[in-house]
Coordinates of all heavy atoms in Angstrom, one line a residue:
W9 N -34.4 10.4 -11.5 CA -33.5 9.3 -11.1 C -33.5 9.2 -9.6 O -33.6 8.1 -9.0 CB -32.1 9.4 -11.6 CG -32.0 9.3 -13.1 CD1 -32.7 8.5 -13.9 CD2 -31.0 9.9 -13.9 NE1 -32.3 8.6 -15.2 CE2 -31.2 9.4 -15.3 CE3 -29.9 10.7 -13.7 CZ2 -30.4 9.8 -16.3 CZ3 -29.1 11.1 -14.7 CH2 -29.4 10.6 -16.0
A15 N -37.0 2.7 -5.0 CA -37.7 1.6 -5.6 C -36.7 0.8 -6.4 O -36.7 -0.5 -6.3 CB -38.8 2.1 -6.6
T29 N -31.1 -2.1 2.8 CA -30.0 -1.2 3.3 C -28.6 -1.7 2.9 O -27.7 -0.9 3.2 CB -30.1 -1.2 4.9 OG1 -30.0 -2.6 5.3 CG2 -31.4 -0.7 5.3
A35 N -25.8 1.0 -3.9 CA -24.7 1.7 -4.8 C -25.1 1.7 -6.3 O -25.1 2.7 -7.0 CB -23.4 1.1 -4.6
P44 N -25.5 7.6 -18.2 CA -25.8 8.4 -19.4 C -25.5 9.9 -19.3 O -25.0 10.5 -20.2 CB -27.3 8.2 -19.6 CG -27.6 6.9 -18.9 CD -26.7 6.8 -17.8

Side-chain angles (χ1 to χ4, degrees):
W9 290 333
T29 56

